[in-house]
């Protein structure tokens, strides 16, 4: 960049454009826009600052300043043909913050809320020590934090639901479910995946195990989908015990939140609960040599919970050590090149 190349004098202003330190605010701006419901106020139309301020009951001058940084982060844009009065419209990214269309509104709130962002302030300490930061910041672990902060917990549940819809369809297309009698979804709240599997296998029953604060979100899902009479909800901690006698055990994005010791303990608990011949299906982020968002997820696990993304070989090793055999990777239909491992195994 001009002013900062070899043999040129250092330019702090030029360097700012290279380093782009303002990028730290992008997630917080998206969260603010989502919480204020600005995207809902704009919708498919073009709205003036005054119209948006009235709709969301905001301080008009402050909203104008905030909308300019939303523009910087490409969430809104000045509408064409409005030279006399500034009007705003949503960009493609801004539409994802609406609540009345398929969206990532809950995701944008959850991942940028204090429970996830404050521990990141200690990322340097996490790298030095190898210990997650959540307990240092809040005095409790990541999941206990959600139990004490129900508004953030609901946003997190919305995040899990929105990201699980596509995963559920891929699982149904990739993994045979014929003949299953009882599907145990371990850590499966808010129940989006289990609900889809039960729709695919009308004769099966489901069991969902999750922490007490999370089970209520799953109850809402099954009641909405008309499946409440086919599902048993178990409030508990899978680090201690897993419901017994399932024909299929499902672990979707659970091991990534656990360190190696806790992951091994969970799989041992599943092995104790499962009868001989029961299947365990694991769907989780895969750590590869190719740069992807999983590397960002991996550091997030490191900071928040002490967990980590793993390679296919590491997942296989954990399963074998717990007593599962015949491990085989299944292609995840529609996402064959994604850094996601779908591994089926059988209780020996």
């Amino acid at each position: 960049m001009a002013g900062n190349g070899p043999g040129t004098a250092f330019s702090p202003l030029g360097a700012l454009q290279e380093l782009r330190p303002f990028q730290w605010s992008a997630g917080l701006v998206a969260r603010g826009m989502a919480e204020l419901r600005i995207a809902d106020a704009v919708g498919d139309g073009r709205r003036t600052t005054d119209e948006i301020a009235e709709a969301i009951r905001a301080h008009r001058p402050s909203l104008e300043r905030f909308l300019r940084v939303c523009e910087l982060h490409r969430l809104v844009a000045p509408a064409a043909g409005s030279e006399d009065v500034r009007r705003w419209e949503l960009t493609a990214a801004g539409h994802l913050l609406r609540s009345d269309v398929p969206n990532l509104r809950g995701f944008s709130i959850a991942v940028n809320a204090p429970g996830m962002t404050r521990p990141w302030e200690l990322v340097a300490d996490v790298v030095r020590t190898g210990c997650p930061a959540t307990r240092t910041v809040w005095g409790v672990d990541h999941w206990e934090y959600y139990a004490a902060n129900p508004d953030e917990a609901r946003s997190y549940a919305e995040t899990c639901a929105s990201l699980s819809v596509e995963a559920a369809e891929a699982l149904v297309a990739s993994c045979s479910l014929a003949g299953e009698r009882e599907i145990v979804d371990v850590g499966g709240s808010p129940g989006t995946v289990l609900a889809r599997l039960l729709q695919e296998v009308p004769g099966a029953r489901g069991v969902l195990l999750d922490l007490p604060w999370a089970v209520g979100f799953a109850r809402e899902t099954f009641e909405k989908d008309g499946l409440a009479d086919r599902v048993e909800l178990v409030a508990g901690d899978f680090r201690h015990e897993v419901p017994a006698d399932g024909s299929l055990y499902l672990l979707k994005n659970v091991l990534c939140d656990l360190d190696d010791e806790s992951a091994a303990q969970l799989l041992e608990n599943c092995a104790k609960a499962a009868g001989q011949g029961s299947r365990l299906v694991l769907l989780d982020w895969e750590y590869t040599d190719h740069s992807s968002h999983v590397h960002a997820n991996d550091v997030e696990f490191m900071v928040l919970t002490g967990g980590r993304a793993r390679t296919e070989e590491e997942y296989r090793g954990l399963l074998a050590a717990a007593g599962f055999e015949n491990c085989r990777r299944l292609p995840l239909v529609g996402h064959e090149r994604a850094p996601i491992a779908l591994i089926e195994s059988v209780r020996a």
Side-chain angles (χ1 to χ4, degrees):
M1 175 168 290
N4 291 297
T8 62
F10 174 66
S11 166
L13 291 178
L16 281 175
Q17 297 304 310
E18 183 71 21
L19 186 61
R20 301 172 71 193
F22 65 84
Q23 283 296 99
W24 69 268
S25 68
L28 298 181
V29 170
R31 173 188 162 208
M33 185 170 164
E35 290 185 327
L36 288 165
R37 295 186 179 273
I38 290 173
D40 286 345
V42 178
D44 291 319
R46 300 173 176 182
R47 301 287 183 266
T48 66
T49 302
D50 287 340
E51 289 171 335
I52 300 170
E54 182 178 358
I56 68 173
R57 299 182 180 180
H59 181 240
R60 192 258 180 222
S62 297
L63 175 63
E64 175 71 21
R65 294 162 67 184
F66 183 68
L67 286 170
R68 295 307 298 268
V69 78
C70 291
E71 179 186 1
L72 176 68
H73 292 305
R74 300 178 181 176
L75 297 170
V76 300
S82 56
E83 292 81 3
D84 52 339
V85 178
R86 180 186 294 275
R87 295 181 183 275
W88 300 96
E89 62 185 359
L90 298 176
T91 64
H95 280 287
L96 296 175
L97 300 180
R98 294 170 61 178
S99 63
D100 60 340
V101 297
N103 65 81
L104 292 176
R105 180 178 178 271
F107 176 88
S108 296
I109 293 173
V111 300
N112 296 297
M116 287 198 177
T117 58
R118 286 287 306 279
W120 269 92
E121 296 173 10
L122 301 182
V123 64
D125 289 339
V126 173
V127 173
R128 291 188 188 103
T129 67
C131 298
T134 299
R135 189 174 292 279
T136 302
V137 173
W138 299 114
V140 294
D141 72 22
H142 185 62
W143 311 114
E144 292 168 336
Y145 175 86
Y146 280 138
N149 293 272
D151 289 342
E152 286 192 44
R154 177 164 290 279
S155 293
Y156 177 77
E158 291 177 12
T159 296
C160 293
S162 63
L163 297 179
S164 293
V165 170
E166 198 170 19
E169 292 299 332
L171 264 176
V172 167
S174 307
C175 185
S176 173
L177 300 170
E180 296 297 347
R181 55 175 177 77
E182 185 166 287
I183 302 171
V184 181
D185 193 351
V186 180
S189 185
T192 309
V193 174
L194 181 56
R196 180 65 185 90
L197 300 189
L198 291 177
Q199 291 166 350
E200 188 70 14
V201 192
R205 293 188 57 79
V207 179
L208 185 141
L209 168 68
D210 217 319
L211 295 168
W213 64 264
V215 165
F217 300 121
R219 182 176 292 108
E220 293 175 11
T221 297
F222 297 126
E223 289 177 351
K224 175 177 64 70
D225 291 346
L227 295 166
D229 61 340
R230 293 176 57 195
V231 180
E232 178 185 359
L233 299 178
V234 179
D237 188 335
F238 55 57
R239 292 173 295 185
H240 301 148
E241 189 176 15
V242 171
D245 300 325
S247 60
L248 172 66
Y249 286 80
L250 175 64
L251 295 176
K252 176 194 169 295
N253 295 125
V254 171
L255 293 189
C256 60
D257 279 319
L258 303 176
D259 59 32
D260 288 342
E261 182 179 353
S262 298
Q265 183 61 61
L266 167 57
L267 290 173
E268 287 178 15
N269 293 343
C270 289
K272 291 177 183 177
Q276 186 176 16
S278 293
R279 288 194 299 162
L280 186 146
V281 171
L282 182 153
L283 181 69
D284 218 320
W285 299 117
E286 182 179 13
Y287 199 93
T288 69
D289 291 334
H290 305 292
S291 180
S292 73
H293 65 86
V294 172
H295 294 87
N297 291 356
D298 181 56
V299 176
E300 182 172 87
F301 304 143
M302 180 173 72
V303 169
L304 297 179
T305 66
R308 65 188 184 92
R310 294 175 172 85
T311 65
E312 178 183 346
E313 290 71 24
E314 288 172 325
Y315 286 126
R316 287 175 175 271
L318 286 169
L319 287 164
F324 291 92
E325 60 184 14
N326 299 332
C327 294
R328 64 183 185 122
R329 180 171 188 149
L330 303 177
L332 190 62
V333 175
H335 304 271
E336 289 85 355
R337 301 187 66 179
I340 303 172
L342 174 59
I343 300 175
E344 178 188 72
S345 58
V346 179
R347 176 69 172 96

